[in-house]
Amino acid sequence: MDIISSRIANLSPSLTLKVTNRAKAMKANGEEIYGLAGGEPEMDTPELIKQAAIEALNNGQTKYTPTAGMMPLREAIAEKLLKENGLHYEPSQIIVSCGAKHSCFNAINALVDEGDEVIIPAPYWVSYPEMVRMVGGKPVFVETKPENSWKLTVEQFEEAMTPRTKMLIINTPTNPTGAVYTEEELRALGELAASEDILILSDEIYEHLVYGNAKHVSMGALSDEIYNLTVTINGFSKGYSMTGWRLGYLAAPTPIAKAVQLIQDHTTSNVCSFAQYGALAALKGDQSFITDMREEYDMRRQYVYGRLKKIPNIKVVEPQGAFYFLVDTSELGLTSLNLCDKLLERYKVAAIPGIAFGNDKSLRLSYCTTLDVLKEGLDRFEDFCRAH
Ligand code: PMP
Ligand code: GLU
């Protein structure tokens, strides 16, 4: 008898976590590592958020809250979604979970049946396919192209559809490519999905990190028909630098929110009570942290882009959002795992192999680190590329 269930036995490890943790362990062992792998802002959580959680703890906010999150927090999220995203959700349509990752899984678990197909534009965030597989669904990958700025086109979406298509996943801004969909692009995809009754998982976790002329648009805000089929995912990890707090949320039409609440009632219950006070303070407090962070990341993005453009044997598309570059390494002639292993072992630079995102001819560099580390890391990356 197999010990591990067939649903779990064939899952792939999360390479984003694996590589990042390996680099962190090497660093802890005293090795000088230039970490360009991390998918989390390196700055500390703003003080006012930390103080709110400390105060809540000191005030005895240490008991269960409603499964979906305490009401003041869900009210604040509803207010934010209305004001910033043009999305009308009642607090009862919002479920706070253990990170946006958990929110994505809850939604997929609630909506995808055995054999249902889920269309995932590739390169994709590492965890979507495994989440779909965990519930018996079938991920259907559609290769986006650098000449389309790594964005899914309506034609590609239409071609990938079958009678079993249940859901489309759209992540804008996109991890790992930094693509940001325009309103027109989202509307075209959303209208097609709505005409075929296909659900949309709209992962907007990087919404605050958009640069230049790019603007973040929420899929669910585009029409009532699209809203009725959309699950909006967001959270606190990226915008407020709260990755370790594990705070994300989804907002969805009432029947979907109720189904997700049921799952959570029987699995995790509420997110840590005093962490929720931190989240409330994040939404209610001064938002200049976000603006400062965006400016800082934009400056680093421009620096990295300037450097990468001059490095031989690689290609890169200028990203408009998030904090990543997907670098085309096909001319280096190595698998992405080999490439990243060599880069880490010999050049002490940590990067994520593109295979994690379904593209073995690339690697992902993140600029969630100081300019000094970026400079040295890119010097070394350049040496590596020139040597191959
Ligand atoms: N979606 C995307 C696209 C991500 O890159 C991540 C990684 N952090 C998440 C969701 C999950 O974020 P969280 O830390 O809130 O679980
Ligand atoms: N999402 C981040 C990344 O892509 C963090 C790691 C993870 O949760 O996968 O690196």
Side-chain angles (χ1 to χ4, degrees):
M1 191 184 70
D2 292 327
I3 297 175
I4 306 300
S5 75
S6 54
R7 286 187 330 282
I8 305 301
N10 296 323
L11 291 184
S12 308
S14 165
L15 279 174
T16 48
L17 295 179
K18 202 170 156 186
V19 177
T20 316
N21 290 339
R22 181 163 166 224
K24 279 183 184 169
M26 287 169 82
K27 221 170 171 174
N29 265 343
E31 284 189 61
E32 188 89 65
I33 298 295
Y34 299 91
L36 308 185
E40 57 182 347
E42 80 292 358
M43 40 291 255
D44 198 0
T45 304
E47 197 53 37
L48 105 156
I49 300 176
K50 293 204 283 189
Q51 282 312 323
I54 291 166
E55 222 170 90
L57 196 50
N58 286 336
N59 289 340
Q61 301 296 347
T62 56
K63 306 294 180 200
Y64 293 135
T65 74
T67 291
M70 61 179 188
M71 197 37 99
L73 176 57
R74 280 185 289 154
E75 283 167 353
I77 293 170
E79 212 176 292
K80 172 254 181 286
L81 289 174
L82 184 61
K83 205 170 86 202
E84 293 181 6
N85 307 82
L87 290 163
H88 295 253
Y89 291 108
E90 294 299 321
S92 60
Q93 295 176 267
I94 293 164
I95 315 277
V96 180
S97 302
C98 177
K101 189 181 272 188
H102 186 208
S103 305
C104 288
F105 182 63
N106 275 344
I108 289 169
N109 200 6
L111 299 171
V112 175
D113 261 320
E114 190 81 28
D116 282 347
E117 294 178 3
V118 176
I119 297 181
I120 305 178
Y124 47 76
W125 177 47
V126 63
S127 294
Y128 299 137
E130 303 311 295
M131 289 178 182
V132 171
R133 290 190 182 109
M134 259 191 271
V135 302
K138 183 178 163 212
V140 174
F141 302 115
V142 182
E143 301 297 331
T144 63
K145 301 201 171 69
E147 52 272 29
N148 292 334
S149 307
W150 298 112
K151 290 189 258 190
L152 178 73
T153 65
V154 197
E155 294 74 28
Q156 287 181 307
F157 177 29
E158 191 156 25
E159 216 168 282
M161 264 183 209
T162 76
R164 298 269 2 211
T165 306
K166 182 76 185 272
M167 179 187 274
L168 165 69
I169 299 183
I170 289 291
N171 169 219
T172 180
T174 309
N175 177 6
T177 60
V180 179
Y181 286 74
T182 65
E183 180 170 337
E184 292 67 37
E185 290 161 346
L186 288 179
R187 191 179 291 285
L189 292 168
E191 281 175 356
L192 181 56
S195 72
E196 299 290 332
D197 270 347
I198 293 172
L199 296 161
I200 304 169
L201 188 85
S202 178
D203 182 347
E204 305 179 18
I205 188 77
Y206 294 99
E207 68 164 338
H208 296 299
L209 296 164
V210 288
Y211 315 109
N213 295 327
K215 197 173 147 277
H216 173 71
V217 177
S218 289
M219 179 65 103
L222 296 178
S223 75
D224 288 349
E225 290 73 27
I226 298 173
Y227 173 92
N228 287 332
L229 289 163
T230 298
V231 179
T232 304
I233 305 279
N234 213 320
F236 297 85
S237 287
K238 315 291 171 172
Y240 298 99
S241 201
M242 293 172 74
T243 46
W245 293 63
R246 311 311 302 130
L247 279 160
Y249 55 88
L250 65 71
T254 300
I256 300 179
K258 279 192 171 155
V260 170
Q261 154 112 30
L262 267 181
I263 297 175
Q264 213 163 281
D265 275 342
H266 288 299
T267 51
T268 57
S269 298
N270 61 276
V271 163
C272 168
S273 54
F274 46 90
Q276 291 185 47
Y277 284 84
L280 182 59
L283 291 176
K284 294 278 186 197
D286 178 11
Q287 303 295 301
S288 59
F289 175 81
I290 292 177
T291 325
D292 294 349
M293 178 160 127
R294 182 188 304 129
E295 275 173 19
E296 175 64 30
Y297 279 132
D298 193 15
M299 186 265 291
R300 293 183 199 170
R301 177 186 71 109
Q302 293 180 39
Y303 170 71
V304 177
Y305 186 51
R307 292 287 313 265
L308 290 176
K309 272 195 300 191
K310 293 193 200 119
I311 298 180
N313 307 328
I314 58 163
K315 288 201 244 8
V316 70
V317 175
E318 183 176 1
Q320 294 182 296
F323 33 54
Y324 308 111
F325 280 82
L326 192 73
V327 179
D328 178 342
T329 52
S330 40
E331 284 174 33
L332 299 182
L334 289 171
T335 68
S336 62
L337 275 171
N338 276 341
L339 201 110
C340 287
D341 271 352
K342 262 192 175 175
L343 197 56
L344 186 57
E345 293 301 330
R346 301 200 195 150
Y347 292 79
K348 307 293 172 203
V349 174
I352 307 286
I355 192 70
F357 315 106
N359 182 321
D360 205 18
K361 295 188 162 68
S362 62
L363 55 77
R364 189 190 77 181
L365 299 180
S366 127
Y367 42 100
C368 291
T369 186
T370 60
L371 259 190
D372 285 347
V373 173
L374 278 176
K375 186 180 173 311
E376 181 64 30
L378 288 167
D379 285 349
R380 287 163 176 257
F381 181 58
E382 180 161 359
D383 290 346
F384 172 82
C385 293
R386 287 186 188 281
H388 283 81

